[in-house]
Amino acid sequence: MPQLPDDLDAVAVRTWCSLALEALGRERTEIDAINVYPIADGDTGTNLYLTVESAAAAVEAVFAAHETGTTTPATADAVHAMAHGALIGARGNSGTILAQLLRGMAGVLAEGSDADHLALALARAADAARQAVAHPVEGTVLT
């Protein structure tokens, strides 16, 4: 299993996407089984997996564009690609909410990646996700 780097940089974003995709792949059936709102259609885990898969592919595309150079992509490029990839590949309500979480984080992390920015990014992510749902209720990916 890859270890997360000490600094939040493009490599850390790439690693997080890989680890999140692996974890969701492992647990998606179990997450599907607890899906209860708005209808018990049993696809929340699958929708989250597919959304992260799209986010990870977008981050990989940014890295592929830098393969001929000697530098890695900028953190801002990686987080924006992750958020955009999630939005483009969002599946179902849970995927859309996850895409909004990542969009909220990306807006802050593109400006800086220290602990203060990470804390603000997580708060912004929660706000963005809540604002994306007209009437948040218990039983959604928000809760």
Side-chain angles (χ1 to χ4, degrees), residues 44-117:
T44 296
T46 298
N47 289 339
L48 290 171
Y49 177 85
L50 293 171
T51 301
V52 172
E53 183 178 53
S54 182
V59 172
E60 287 303 321
V62 168
F63 272 83
H66 280 78
E67 279 183 1
T68 57
T70 58
T71 62
T72 59
T75 302
D77 292 339
V79 295
H80 284 306
M82 178 181 65
H84 182 74
L87 179 62
I88 297 303
R91 300 292 192 275
N93 292 329
S94 57
T96 301
I97 291 168
L98 176 57
Q100 292 306 310
L101 281 165
L102 296 177
R103 183 185 62 85
M105 289 182 68
V108 176
L109 294 176
E111 297 170 6
S113 57
D114 58 20
D116 290 337
H117 280 91

Side-chain angles (χ1 to χ4, degrees), residues 3-9 11-12 113:
Q3 292 291 81
L4 283 175
D6 292 333
D7 296 326
L8 183 58
D9 59 7
V11 173
S113 57

